[in-house]
Amino acid sequence: MTGNSFGQALRITTAGESHGPGNVVIIDGVPAGIPFSVDDLLPDLARRRPGQSKIVTQRKESDEPEILAGVFEGRTTGTSLAILIRNQDQRSKDYSDIKDKYRPGHADFTFDQKYGFRDYRGGGRSSARETTARVAAGALAKKILAEAFGGRVLGYVTQVGDLKAEIADPASVTLQQVEEFADGQPNIVRCPDEAVAQQMIAKIEEVRKAGDSIGGAAEIVAANIPAGLGEPVFDKLKADLAKALFSLPAVLGVEYGIGFGCVTMRGSEHNDLFTTGEDGQITTKSNRHGGMLGGISTGLPIVLRAAVKPTSSLPIEQSTVTSSGEATTIRTRGRHDPCLLPRFIPMAEAMVAIVIADHWLRWRAQNAWSPGTE
Amino acid sequence: MTGNSFGQALRITTAGESHGPGNVVIIDGVPAGIPFSVDDLLPDLARRRPGQSKIVTQRKESDEPEILAGVFEGRTTGTSLAILIRNQDQRSKDYSDIKDKYRPGHADFTFDQKYGFRDYRGGGRSSARETTARVAAGALAKKILAEAFGGRVLGYVTQVGDLKAEIADPASVTLQQVEEFADGQPNIVRCPDEAVAQQMIAKIEEVRKAGDSIGGAAEIVAANIPAGLGEPVFDKLKADLAKALFSLPAVLGVEYGIGFGCVTMRGSEHNDLFTTGEDGQITTKSNRHGGMLGGISTGLPIVLRAAVKPTSSLPIEQSTVTSSGEATTIRTRGRHDPCLLPRFIPMAEAMVAIVIADHWLRWRAQNAWSPGTE
Amino acid sequence: MTGNSFGQALRITTAGESHGPGNVVIIDGVPAGIPFSVDDLLPDLARRRPGQSKIVTQRKESDEPEILAGVFEGRTTGTSLAILIRNQDQRSKDYSDIKDKYRPGHADFTFDQKYGFRDYRGGGRSSARETTARVAAGALAKKILAEAFGGRVLGYVTQVGDLKAEIADPASVTLQQVEEFADGQPNIVRCPDEAVAQQMIAKIEEVRKAGDSIGGAAEIVAANIPAGLGEPVFDKLKADLAKALFSLPAVLGVEYGIGFGCVTMRGSEHNDLFTTGEDGQITTKSNRHGGMLGGISTGLPIVLRAAVKPTSSLPIEQSTVTSSGEATTIRTRGRHDPCLLPRFIPMAEAMVAIVIADHWLRWRAQNAWSPGTE
Amino acid sequence: MTGNSFGQALRITTAGESHGPGNVVIIDGVPAGIPFSVDDLLPDLARRRPGQSKIVTQRKESDEPEILAGVFEGRTTGTSLAILIRNQDQRSKDYSDIKDKYRPGHADFTFDQKYGFRDYRGGGRSSARETTARVAAGALAKKILAEAFGGRVLGYVTQVGDLKAEIADPASVTLQQVEEFADGQPNIVRCPDEAVAQQMIAKIEEVRKAGDSIGGAAEIVAANIPAGLGEPVFDKLKADLAKALFSLPAVLGVEYGIGFGCVTMRGSEHNDLFTTGEDGQITTKSNRHGGMLGGISTGLPIVLRAAVKPTSSLPIEQSTVTSSGEATTIRTRGRHDPCLLPRFIPMAEAMVAIVIADHWLRWRAQNAWSPGTE
């Protein structure tokens, strides 16, 4: 059944495969009058793009987006907005040998089970190529957050294999730190702890040379988000954020705030105590709650983490079966990421931004008005 | 905006507060002809009930459900099914002192921020009392799974504080192991590793006596689930399951399969290799993928874990502020769970069962038919 | 699949049968702080109630609603609101003879085709008894409209058989005119053209004595509705209003503004010309467009009409078949309405009010904010 | 808020304006394996196209659709399917004078009220150009109906002004009768009553020469549709069909079966009596119920009628106001349809086919399985 739409008040709907004509997203519910053009899409698409550095896949994709609808004279019209990103470097030959084999860790087998057959070229609809449409929509969601209340969403890599970054204050990490080292060189692994980042890059190179891949973790922070977003009881903000991140390829775990760390804690050490800040606003002394209580935002930074598995496609030989069940082996000849994390960051930011923009509009529908106030 | 409905083809909608007249759930999309009565609801409601053992809250709730609609002559009619569970032991006096204070870790502050005021009696809508409606709906979802393809969903506690159970094979744990010890005594902590379970019970008692609470983790297993369930790209089965679990109170993290353990793995050790089983069916040699690839079920057991925070309500004094921002202290005089995990199990099972039943019906809509087959 | 929910930002979900324990509605998305109690429900429930006059069914129903959730200290809390209306006068014996026969014009046959069997008592879920839940929800929707912008929704009967009322100005009809004659006697047919109303009453009595029933038409007017409500392109206000009215039992046609009268008109006589009113506001000189252009409200009164078929249940004998296809006859021994129109009015008002309240909240989500304004 | 998606199990989402780059539709929930290509789209797009005859607008549009996603090797894949139809003959100059004037009968005023500004080129999103995306989706829906159970949907013009066709048996009208006269000449008005069709054509020509436009009515018939489709209580088949037709531009009224004719009927003459056909199947002796009882299909032909207003754009001068409220006049210099009906037919067929395909999939989800049958 339908599964290609996401969001309630702000809803994105996508279509597109790895090697078809292109990927398209329709974004519905966008407030009118927001300045928006193709230029707003380019930075995040560039961060997601293959071939951006030596530690990601060397596929070439051009990602030239076209706005098909919903923008007039440089501003959103309020009607549905569509963006098309054509596929270009398709090299179908790379994939023809996987037509009848199930790649370990991929969706080939499950697509066949579900649909009876599949577009086997590059994974078809199950390829991470579809996230280009999400990243485009996320760029617009980020603009809504910025225009509406100065909100911002930023992600970064916190772990690759055993290498773990030290992040003192998630909300103070800057986009520049994520994208550049102090010397102006590109931070190709997108980890703001520069010393660890250099080790991560070396590790990924080593793994790549071994024909292998490696997992990692990312943290996504939404800062300057107003209190009150999130809908009891099922559409809690934490629930929609978790769904958003789990809907991305390769995500095996999500946590927020102290996350799995809560398992070994006592209530007396876990609870964030309320206090009144210097500005007279009620806040908490700590943020183990990751910016959400009862599934509703508290006004503190929203802090999420996702576990991302090692890339399933490997240049080394793996045993598997054909679609008729015969034993065989497979070796991925395509150009794949030795570590998904650097390119995962803009995808995760996009999904988080979309959820928060959606919930802000939902909040406006029900909560921005009280009887007697207008 | 609306947030009290969950599911697409099978949809539950709930209402109810801790201390109002009752909690009600409407379940829509139920296939007709399924034998169903109040007796089907009682076992899981009993497992969720306060007062069931010395290590849970001693509140008394009677949980006598009434089926208001959708069942005729002992079978579901196919039209919307409603269940009402009245509240009885309400003791509003216990809560009157929290009217103007924000309980640490609770949704009091965020409800005020969102709605301008709140039903402060026992947490109102943010109380875990609302999960009684989910558990009732989950009992029906379990029946659907059982009737349709012999599917079953079972949860158990895997960790309380530092105490961690050893579970050799998640799919082989039985309800009896979860509910009873070998000697027939009730397994009040719902951990099937009996030695660790006894330690957990002692730990929870110790924490309770200290006026404190403790966190933990649970594993939920869905076995005998057909391959092909889950909708690319947003309504992946893993995404909807994660949302389902994160929508429950106190859940700070969710993972499936190898989960956060993937972060330190290489692709070559992480991938589950396909093989053909003795029955001629394609399967995988291991189940690090937790029963889902590309967000679609593979036919292997679906294995999820959730991190549950320590109960926020504490009998010991905590500092906080009043709703007008003045510093104060609070001490919970109500009867609360020293550890949420034992009662969390039926809630989590219910949500997992609802998601899978929903996705099975969604699968039927689109995938159970092919051109030329009828 | 699910079909018992209606609305997006304000959503009602219902369950209940004619002869089950009761009917329940959950209303989600209600703004917080609206004064609301059982007393707000009683007037419209009384207008819908059987037995209210000699020209409607003489069944006795008590319709004592209970608010189960969502109201605290006399105000809506913003969380989901539930209302239960128990069934009381059930007299199942009246219906036992229809267990195996298909009543002409009813849903007995189609329910059997769809679900395999049916709750045959009084029509079960297909009985108009379910509209009691809608009317309760409509009473709340009307309060939202009134609180938010002074909006109001009023319906009345315009035609019974050949008898057609003259209504000079739909928007100036008052509730008092609909409910009472000039002499204070109840206007039991709910037609504000008093002379025609008296003829209608006589006609309905005549039809009832003949053991027959008669059709009619109703007009529903929503006045003081702001411009800008309605969502291109599918959720046009006219489309959602039409769905709302067609979702009611016995409605065979809906039109708005000039409606089917447009078929024979030329554009030059049909178009409503824009002008600037004395208050400086842009308006139109006429309202053939029924308050909506492009599916969006213009600020003029929204005027809809519905065709309601003659009651299908008849005391006179009709030929039909049994569920196994054998020829038989049927005669309805229950107490049925000789004309559905008088009791249709509150149902239609409720559905129209729900749609407009929903669209107002949807408008708030997207349109009540512009970049740079906050 | 979102309003550009339609359907539940089969959902279409559209974007596009009259003079933007193009119109796009994403169709979600399509069963896999249905043969589908651009060739399937061309016939209905040609029937909708401007410039197809002397009695429709002479705008040139090329309507060359491109399938962007969801089809592989000539068959639907089951994942979301996207179709793009670029705009070509845009002649923006024709519309520049309406930038600051409100065209009578159009959505210019309401779009400004709703969004603060509008894409004024050719009506932007409110132009009937958007229906090209619906017609493309409808072509796929028709294929689903045909493949699944041999269902078909056909529309035709029944009235233009006072000229009314005689249609003896709606379900026996053929596509050939609608598209061609007996002599093989194109039936440019799409009325299968040839004698009346010729008069209609003459009438439309006369109206066009007078610089005016004229209204009309269409009938849409869905034949060979299985019993049991439609979801009580809100998503009745009649309700979703009515919404579908009212969502089209210019529709002011919808009825099914006997429609508004029921107003003057008695129950004894209105009820369709059940009987057993020669094939042993239960059916009714007549079809005043238009193929639906209780909002669920009966298996008889579904017969709907829509009232379509005269085109609002007129070459003759009409008085109006500017967006700042000053009196002015307007004369449409673009090329418009003197009567919308001939091009309305494929739009209406598309919406009806989409609703029925959606409800068939919904039926499959819940009703195509019974306990114990698999």
Side-chain angles (χ1 to χ4, degrees), chain A residues 1-3 114 212 228 230-231 234-236 238 240 243 246-248 254 267-268 271 276 318 325 362 366, chain B residues 1-3 114 212-213 228 230-231 234-236 238 240 243 246-248 254 268 271 276 318 325 362 366:
Chain A
M1 216 176 83
T2 56
K114 185 174 186 69
D212 213 335
E231 301 296 338
F234 298 112
D235 294 354
K236 291 185 164 87
K238 63 172 180 161
D240 279 350
K243 173 168 176 168
F246 267 109
S247 78
L248 285 166
V254 171
S268 56
N271 279 344
T276 299
Q318 301 180 84
R362 294 172 75 167
Q366 187 191 6
Chain B
M1 215 176 83
T2 56
K114 185 174 186 69
D212 213 335
S213 63
E231 302 294 340
F234 297 112
D235 294 353
K236 290 186 165 87
K238 63 172 180 162
D240 280 349
K243 173 167 176 169
F246 268 108
S247 78
L248 285 166
V254 170
S268 55
N271 279 345
T276 300
Q318 299 180 82
R362 294 172 75 167
Q366 188 191 5

Side-chain angles (χ1 to χ4, degrees), chain B residues 101-133:
Chain B
K101 292 181 181 178
Y102 290 138
R103 291 173 299 162
H106 278 284
D108 304 339
F109 170 68
T110 53
F111 265 59
D112 269 9
Q113 289 288 311
K114 185 174 186 69
Y115 300 113
F117 74 111
R118 72 186 193 280
D119 177 350
Y120 51 79
R121 300 166 305 164
R125 182 73 179 143
S126 74
S127 163
R129 176 69 183 157
E130 59 91 356
T131 61
T132 195

